[in-house]
Amino acid sequence: MERDEIECFLLLADELHFGRTADRMRLSRARVSQLVQRLERRVGAPLFVRTSRRVALTSLGRQLRADLEPHHRAMDAALARAVATARGIDAVLHVGFSTPLTGEIVLKATETLRVSHPGLAVEICEVPLTDPYGQLRRGEFDVQLQELPVREDDLGGGPALLAEERVLAVASSHPLAVRDAVSMEDLADVALLTIDGDVPDHWSEQQAPPHTPGGRPIARGPGVTNMQEALMLVAGGRGALLTAAHTRTYYARPGIAYIPFVDADPVGYGLVWRAGNHTGALEAFGAAARAAAREVTQGDPRTALPV
């Protein structure tokens, strides 16, 4: 059956009047009659009883109407969703990244979208260390790829795209610098740098826990506002930094040793957006980011895709 035959049949079954059906379809009465007759020939029996005074469905017509209506509604709904999604993708998406590793993933996802969704422009910018959610809340970012977990009532997020080991950055002159590995208990022997700014408590505790797993206190070092400042203080012996493993690749520098942990929980990274702001453009970016995360972490023993 042709779509115009189906639409004409269902409208006439609703109106039971050729003139009103023609008006709704913006066709002539003669064209409506042609469509109905063509469908009846296709079926092989009358679907309507026509007299000079009334139009009524036959029993076969009532059966066909009952069978067709749900599918026709589903087709209309599917088309409407496709149109809405397409309009959402023809847009500008502002994306934040929190680290060099997440920035690399965002950049690869953006390159993919240039080909697969040319109508979607992606603008990327780094998330400030001292204000991890401010720009997202103000609408300056539509989505961020950042550390998990996120425990903010007004923000939503997806599952982790990847997980990464953690390392301890200390001055090369520190006694721990000669070790092949450290444990979380060894943090009692350093002063951990903290982050100055509008940072949630759970975020601060992940960067600088107050106690070791055994309950020993961990000293607080100076507060920092960016990574370069933190690394200068580490190299100068002013404190240590609990950080992700990729830091030693992107921020390798003299005077700093990066020591892996034997027992630290990995840090996960995922997409975060404002609650209720999930759009077609964001879905497209999420799919591209998942693929980019697989590409970036392939063959790197320090990172892994979540199970």
Side-chain angles (χ1 to χ4, degrees):
M1 285 184 289
E2 301 293 337
R3 183 177 177 85
D4 57 353
E5 293 174 356
I6 296 172
E7 290 180 350
C8 184
F9 166 74
L10 291 174
L11 280 174
L12 185 56
D14 181 47
E15 292 286 354
L16 296 177
H17 190 281
F18 278 81
R20 290 193 294 270
T21 301
D23 290 341
R24 288 179 63 179
M25 295 191 71
R26 298 184 179 180
L27 299 174
S28 66
R29 292 191 184 191
R31 180 56 178 163
V32 170
S33 294
Q34 290 173 0
L35 290 172
V36 172
Q37 290 168 8
R38 191 169 72 187
L39 181 57
E40 289 177 329
R41 286 196 299 271
R42 194 185 299 276
V43 173
L47 300 172
F48 296 92
V49 177
R50 308 167 181 82
T51 69
S52 59
R53 296 184 178 181
R54 61 188 293 267
V55 177
L57 284 163
T58 64
S59 59
L60 181 60
R62 289 193 295 271
Q63 176 188 322
L64 183 60
R65 180 187 189 185
D67 291 339
L68 283 178
E69 275 190 329
H71 300 288
H72 187 260
R73 287 196 298 269
M75 289 175 61
D76 285 343
L79 182 60
R81 286 193 297 271
V83 170
T85 300
R87 288 175 178 171
I89 290 177
D90 188 15
V92 177
L93 193 69
H94 297 87
V95 180
F97 64 90
S98 62
T99 67
L101 177 61
T102 59
E104 185 176 346
I105 294 170
V106 166
L107 188 59
K108 284 185 177 295
T110 301
E111 292 170 353
T112 298
L113 290 172
R114 283 199 187 102
V115 177
S116 62
H117 296 81
L120 175 59
V122 180
E123 296 184 0
I124 64 177
C125 188
E126 186 175 7
V127 176
L129 182 66
T130 57
D131 189 14
Y133 303 132
Q135 288 177 276
L136 183 62
R137 286 186 167 120
R138 292 191 297 270
E140 297 171 24
F141 292 147
D142 297 301
V143 62
Q144 298 179 175
L145 181 55
Q146 64 171 69
E147 294 86 347
L148 300 177
V150 175
R151 298 171 182 158
E152 309 296 304
D153 293 339
D154 59 333
L155 302 178
L161 299 185
L162 70 155
E164 183 183 20
E165 295 177 359
R166 302 170 88 183
V167 297
L168 182 66
V170 296
S172 299
S173 58
H174 194 280
L176 292 176
V178 298
R179 301 264 295 270
D180 292 329
V182 293
S183 73
M184 292 295 288
E185 287 298 322
D186 291 318
L187 294 181
D189 300 325
V190 300
L192 286 179
L193 299 180
T194 58
I195 300 173
D196 285 338
D198 186 13
V199 182
D201 291 342
H202 71 86
W203 187 290
S204 297
E205 290 182 7
Q206 179 169 283
Q207 301 294 326
H211 300 91
T212 69
R216 300 166 66 195
I218 301 174
R220 286 288 187 271
V224 298
T225 59
N226 59 68
M227 183 58 74
Q228 292 296 344
E229 181 183 2
L231 296 176
M232 288 180 61
L233 291 174
V234 170
R238 299 283 304 280
L241 181 66
L242 181 58
T243 186
H246 77 268
T247 307
R248 59 187 172 192
T249 300
Y250 291 93
Y251 293 105
R253 58 180 294 168
I256 295 179
Y258 293 99
I259 316 161
F261 281 91
V262 295
D263 58 353
D265 291 334
V267 56
Y269 301 92
L271 295 177
V272 182
W273 55 84
R274 293 184 301 281
N277 193 41
H278 200 71
T279 64
L282 199 153
E283 288 183 7
F285 181 80
R290 285 190 292 273
R294 288 192 292 269
E295 182 179 349
V296 168
T297 60
Q298 188 173 18
D300 189 341
R302 297 164 302 175
T303 59
L305 297 174
V307 178

